[in-house]
Amino acid sequence: MANKTKYREIMGYIKERIQTGNYAVGSFLPSENELCQQFNTTRTTVRRALEELLREGFIQKEHGRGSKVLERSKSLGLLTVKGFSGAIDYDVNTVISVPPNITSWPTMRSFALSDTEEASDCVYFQRIRNINGKPVVVEDNWYAASVLEPIDAADFVEGSFFKTLSQKHLIEIMGAEQELRAITATAELAKKLQVAVNSPILHITVRFRTSLPELNLYGALYCTTTEYPIRNSYSV
């Protein structure tokens, strides 16, 4: 029982330091020997903690070098528009077009709400993603207001809701479901994306599961992909 408690203690300590940026993305964790000494425990217990962090996508093992801190969003394997995750070739900008506010749930075509969500209002916000000054994605987001209060848009870390949850609330994305559809641009979408009405649009709906019980994050992304293709990464 003591070892089970100890490995969770080690795991929690490392995870929080990754979430808050004390262990930066790309850096290496202290060695197994150093962690054994720091927590006065066995190598087996330390390795169990590291294996759990590996399984959850916080680190990767590099032979001869140790455990390297990963950027969590890149381990989710979701489709989005190329360029928003670690882009270096484009001038990327995110505008919060509708700040977080409490409202009623919209009709969810792709996912059924839980009983907790049904009984609660939702927090809604919208962002527009721009590349080189041109709008490429309109993104709507919702979650249950009874589980997490609205977060001030000014407090978003680098415009990222994922980073805000991780670094300021210690909440992690644990997995997701998504659906893709081809649609045509409505007059409202056409105006926001600066395209012609009825232009082809990629519609991605997604539900993220988090480490906080009952907190799911819902998203609806409307993308123009003529110039910027989609890839397996996500940064919300």
Side-chain angles (χ1 to χ4, degrees):
M1 182 65 70
N3 284 343
K4 290 183 179 180
T5 302
K6 181 64 73 172
Y7 100 82
R8 291 186 181 278
E9 177 188 345
I10 297 168
M11 183 182 172
Y13 172 85
I14 294 173
K15 183 187 292 188
E16 182 172 342
R17 291 183 71 80
I18 291 174
Q19 291 171 316
T20 55
N22 287 292
Y23 290 153
V25 171
S27 66
F28 286 85
L29 300 182
S31 69
E32 290 182 4
N33 283 337
E34 290 172 322
L35 290 171
C36 286
Q37 293 175 11
Q38 180 178 348
F39 289 94
N40 190 28
T41 191
T42 65
R43 186 181 292 268
T44 299
T45 301
V46 167
R47 284 180 176 173
R48 183 174 181 186
L50 294 177
E51 286 299 321
E52 287 296 314
L53 291 167
L54 177 69
R55 183 181 63 81
E56 291 189 7
F58 285 94
I59 62 172
Q60 69 180 19
K61 295 290 188 68
E62 292 195 3
H63 184 68
R65 301 192 68 187
S67 300
K68 184 178 181 180
V69 178
L70 292 179
E71 183 175 348
R72 276 277 289 158
S73 61
K74 291 187 177 180
S75 70
L76 294 174
L78 298 172
L79 294 174
T80 188
V81 174
K82 183 177 182 180
F84 290 112
S85 297
I88 58 174
D89 298 327
Y90 310 120
D91 178 12
V92 180
N93 175 254
T94 298
V95 176
I96 300 176
S97 46
V98 179
N101 65 95
I102 295 178
T103 186
S104 300
W105 289 98
T107 301
M108 291 287 180
R109 292 178 53 193
S110 301
F111 307 107
L113 297 175
S114 70
D115 291 342
T116 298
E117 290 166 338
E118 286 276 13
S120 169
D121 287 333
C122 72
V123 175
Y124 165 73
F125 58 98
Q126 183 187 82
R127 287 166 295 173
I128 298 177
R129 315 279 195 162
N130 301 281
I131 295 180
N132 296 332
K134 182 177 180 180
V136 174
V137 176
V138 173
E139 181 177 354
D140 294 319
N141 298 273
W142 304 268
Y143 63 84
S146 62
V147 182
L148 182 67
E149 294 182 352
I151 299 172
D152 194 313
D155 292 332
F156 279 22
V157 178
E158 299 174 8
S160 168
F161 192 62
F162 278 5
K163 289 183 179 179
T164 305
L165 288 180
S166 178
Q167 295 182 22
K168 294 191 174 183
H169 299 270
L170 305 183
I171 298 171
E172 291 297 326
I173 305 301
M174 305 305 294
E177 309 159 77
Q178 63 182 0
E179 292 185 358
L180 285 75
R181 293 186 178 90
I183 64 172
T184 56
T186 63
E188 181 182 0
L189 280 175
K191 181 178 180 180
K192 291 180 178 179
L193 290 170
Q194 298 178 13
V195 298
V197 174
N198 293 326
S199 294
I201 296 293
L202 176 63
H203 182 208
I204 304 174
T205 54
V206 60
R207 175 169 61 189
F208 297 98
R209 301 184 304 277
T210 78
S211 58
L212 179 64
E214 297 294 344
L215 178 62
N216 295 312
L217 309 177
Y218 296 88
L221 291 80
Y222 303 90
C223 317
T224 60
T225 60
T226 303
E227 296 183 41
Y228 304 100
I230 58 176
R231 68 177 179 184
N232 285 329
S233 61
Y234 197 86
S235 179
V236 64

